[in-house]
Amino acid sequence: MINVAVNGYGTIGKRVADAIIKQPDMKLVGVAKTSPNYEAFIAHRRGIRIYVPQQSIKKFEESGIPVAGTVEDLIKTSDIVVDTTPNGVGAQYKPIYLQLQRNAIFQGGEKAEVADISFSALCNYNEALGKKYIRVVSCNTTALLRTICTVNKVSKVEKVRATIVRRAADQKEVKKGPINSLVPDPATVPSHHAKDVNSVIRNLDIATMAVIAPTTLMHMHFINITLKDKVEKKDILSVLENTPRIVLISSKYDAEATAELVEVARDLKRDRNDIPEVMIFSDSIYVKDDEVMLMYAVHQESIVVPENIDAIRASMKLMSAEDSMRITNESLGILKGYLI
Amino acid sequence: MINVAVNGYGTIGKRVADAIIKQPDMKLVGVAKTSPNYEAFIAHRRGIRIYVPQQSIKKFEESGIPVAGTVEDLIKTSDIVVDTTPNGVGAQYKPIYLQLQRNAIFQGGEKAEVADISFSALCNYNEALGKKYIRVVSCNTTALLRTICTVNKVSKVEKVRATIVRRAADQKEVKKGPINSLVPDPATVPSHHAKDVNSVIRNLDIATMAVIAPTTLMHMHFINITLKDKVEKKDILSVLENTPRIVLISSKYDAEATAELVEVARDLKRDRNDIPEVMIFSDSIYVKDDEVMLMYAVHQESIVVPENIDAIRASMKLMSAEDSMRITNESLGILKGYLI
């Protein structure tokens, strides 16, 4: 049983904490949180031990949320830390993980240099085995990598061109904009996503363009892949259909808009209406000779959760890629094939 | 055991069906649905029997969703029908309910004349006992009535003035607007909500104004109540705190925006992140002599669900108001006091 700490308890942290609780080989020793908001209060009520920075102890005590100790106490209690602190804060914590000799999993908001390796389970689990510091790439990069590494099984991926329409904020983030504008992110090519894909697959010819749209539910990607060989649509469809963490969305049941996909998740009674799988629109798959075009949706709040779980096992050398992904998928109800 | 049919399986129908399944004294015999969309498919996969209009049978069979019979077959199988068909369609079904001699519960989208009584459990359960046709008032009217009838316990409510900021569409409704405008609904006073409140509490002096805002999550109400007597804030707070189906939202945990309230529901792992309780902002309660002002949020998708369950029991004369509401609240996890 591995003792896991989660440092940071926001959108990603609370989901990773829930996922750790569901793993047969892991124990959640506690979470670290800086402000006593509703997320902290609900975590406390669910019996999760909350650790806070020294300067936050008073705020928590005034809010009636008991404090189990400091963030350093939490790290000491654990075998490994999943750092889900805000962008850039993980790098500030790294010296503490180093000093206390604890392995750590960072998120895609950190620079690649923070870790020994950038990680996507379907692409490079084996390379990450035993690495003390692993960085799970961001939600958009995770979706790109899952798709690229899966299509790569049919024929070597030689070139990727993609347009990323990004959600502007998570649903709970009421202070962020824009509310009625499209914002190039940035108006130069390539966007940082291409470089981030290259942090996992070196030497791939990839260029990405990104734009922020006023929506909170999901991202969408529009991708064009050039392969080494001519392929058939049925082969692409088949490999996508048989890869867990990718689900297909058919137009048959009238659920294609991101708001409708959220409604499907609600009707399926998924926790927090999360869909951690990449959602590929099966009717969008277009194949011409060595070229594949397709569209998919990405649930930014949950897609990296299974990756974090696998990164823990890779870092601690607990088991093979296949075993880890199978246990993660089963414990979290992650599907392959058609979502409905 | 009462056999209940649900005619119409959209936003309200699917929630009422789920709620019926959770009642110890009710059996869901099936639901009626006109199009084989994702809601129908997920219902089928959950083992719910689906009945369809004659002309829809072919469409369903082509979609691979088995049909249990026609809508008339469904009605015949039941003791009572909850009609959750779109606005105005319920009135078209009424002659069939009459002919087949089945009691029916209608929704607030129908005119008051469709039923023998308009209904809000906290206000007039006893008057509805044994009525063959009961109309559960709309989401906004349900929230107004719950609040008014609760405050009325402290001192007689003599006058109500309210501003209603309405969500434009439900989250799944991707074809509706507006996307960047406020739309008076209508630009005359009073809006229809006042009249609808009067369908339950006759002779109350109430005037309402409404505006549509480009949001999908919840409504908000801004209400000014004049009482017969001078009252104290603590008495108003106390009655609101002790009435199930009303929850208080404190500013303490930084969750006040409707998006944040949805996030609280997600973190609480509520089904479909529903909050059927009226959500009153406790720090908004302002009392001056005989006047009470306060603000609350209304989750339009779920607030009428418990009312429909109680309306079934009232119509079939199954039990007292207190027993029905207690069982409904317990089975659906409906709270009183602070939401968190």
Side-chain angles (χ1 to χ4, degrees), chain A residues 14 18 180 263 273 301, chain B residues 14 180 263 266 269 273:
Chain A
K14 65 189 178 187
D18 280 358
N180 192 31
E263 190 76 0
N273 51 62
E301 296 174 310
Chain B
K14 65 188 178 188
N180 193 30
E263 189 77 1
R266 295 172 86 189
K269 311 288 174 82
N273 49 64

Side-chain angles (χ1 to χ4, degrees), chain B residues 217-287:
Chain B
L217 303 177
M218 293 180 186
H219 308 294
M220 270 201 200
H221 291 193
F222 304 79
I223 190 171
N224 188 345
I225 299 174
T226 307
L227 300 172
K228 189 162 186 290
D229 312 298
K230 286 190 185 185
V231 295
E232 303 268 346
K233 179 172 168 176
K234 69 174 171 42
D235 298 321
I236 298 296
L237 192 60
S238 169
V239 74
L240 294 172
E241 198 172 343
N242 286 295
T243 302
R245 301 195 187 176
I246 290 173
V247 290
L248 296 173
I249 307 294
S250 152
S251 59
K252 188 173 165 189
Y253 296 121
D254 290 330
E256 295 187 327
T258 55
E260 291 167 334
L261 296 173
V262 170
E263 189 77 1
V264 168
R266 295 172 86 189
D267 286 357
L268 292 174
K269 311 288 174 82
R270 287 205 170 192
D271 272 5
R272 293 189 177 95
N273 49 64
D274 287 349
I275 307 182
E277 298 94 342
V278 175
M279 291 159 269
I280 296 183
F281 299 101
S282 57
D283 299 324
S284 80
I285 301 170
Y286 172 91
V287 177

Side-chain angles (χ1 to χ4, degrees), chain A residues 65-325:
Chain A
I65 302 174
V67 170
T70 64
V71 181
E72 205 169 298
D73 293 335
L74 172 63
I75 297 166
K76 285 180 187 163
T77 316
S78 70
D79 301 312
I80 184 168
V81 181
V82 182
D83 183 297
T84 54
T85 57
N87 294 353
V89 178
Q92 294 170 28
Y93 269 107
K94 185 165 177 200
I96 302 173
Y97 304 143
L98 266 167
Q99 187 201 331
L100 297 174
Q101 297 185 295
R102 292 295 187 281
N103 290 19
I105 311 300
F106 295 95
Q107 305 306 308
E110 303 302 318
K111 289 186 179 145
E113 297 73 52
V114 79
D116 304 322
I117 188 168
S118 287
F119 179 82
S120 170
L122 283 170
C123 297
N124 69 342
Y125 183 100
N126 287 333
E127 285 176 55
L129 278 170
K131 294 280 196 292
K132 282 188 85 68
Y133 301 107
I134 297 177
R135 169 179 169 266
V136 170
V137 292
S138 73
C139 48
N140 281 305
T141 309
T142 295
L144 285 163
L145 284 166
R146 270 193 206 159
T147 306
I148 292 166
C149 290
T150 301
V151 170
N152 191 63
K153 289 186 199 164
V154 180
S155 168
K156 186 170 184 323
V157 172
E158 303 224 308
K159 191 167 80 174
V160 176
R161 298 291 178 260
T163 302
I164 298 170
V165 182
R166 302 182 59 177
R167 67 86 182 95
D170 291 339
Q171 191 161 304
K172 66 175 180 172
E173 295 174 321
V174 297
K175 290 177 183 171
K176 279 194 185 175
I179 57 170
N180 192 31
S181 186
L182 296 171
V183 184
D185 184 41
T188 55
V189 178
S191 67
H192 76 275
H193 308 91
K195 188 183 158 200
D196 210 22
V197 166
N198 282 142
S199 75
V200 175
I201 315 178
R202 285 165 203 82
N203 306 320
L204 175 66
D205 176 4
I206 178 167
T208 52
M209 297 182 284
V211 62
I212 296 169
T215 178
T216 62
L217 304 177
M218 292 179 186
H219 308 294
M220 270 203 200
H221 291 193
F222 304 80
I223 189 171
N224 188 346
I225 300 174
T226 306
L227 301 172
K228 186 161 187 292
D229 313 297
K230 286 190 184 185
V231 295
E232 303 269 343
K233 178 173 168 175
K234 68 173 170 44
D235 297 323
I236 298 296
L237 192 59
S238 170
V239 74
L240 293 173
E241 197 171 343
N242 286 296
T243 302
R245 302 196 187 175
I246 290 174
V247 290
L248 296 172
I249 306 294
S250 153
S251 57
K252 189 173 167 190
Y253 295 121
D254 290 330
E256 295 187 325
T258 54
E260 292 167 333
L261 296 173
V262 170
E263 190 76 0
V264 168
R266 296 172 86 188
D267 286 357
L268 292 174
K269 311 286 175 83
R270 286 203 172 195
D271 272 5
R272 295 190 176 95
N273 51 62
D274 285 349
I275 307 184
E277 299 93 342
V278 174
M279 293 160 268
I280 296 183
F281 298 101
S282 58
D283 299 325
S284 79
I285 301 170
Y286 172 90
V287 177
K288 189 179 180 196
D289 300 332
D290 59 353
E291 198 186 350
V292 179
M293 292 173 76
L294 54 83
M295 298 161 55
Y296 56 83
V298 181
H299 182 222
Q300 77 282 355
E301 296 174 310
S302 65
I303 187 172
V304 299
V305 173
E307 309 295 321
N308 273 280
I309 299 299
D310 292 328
I312 294 168
R313 294 206 185 91
S315 179
M316 304 300 285
K317 286 182 95 164
L318 294 181
M319 60 185 78
S320 71
E322 293 64 35
D323 286 343
S324 177
M325 283 193 270

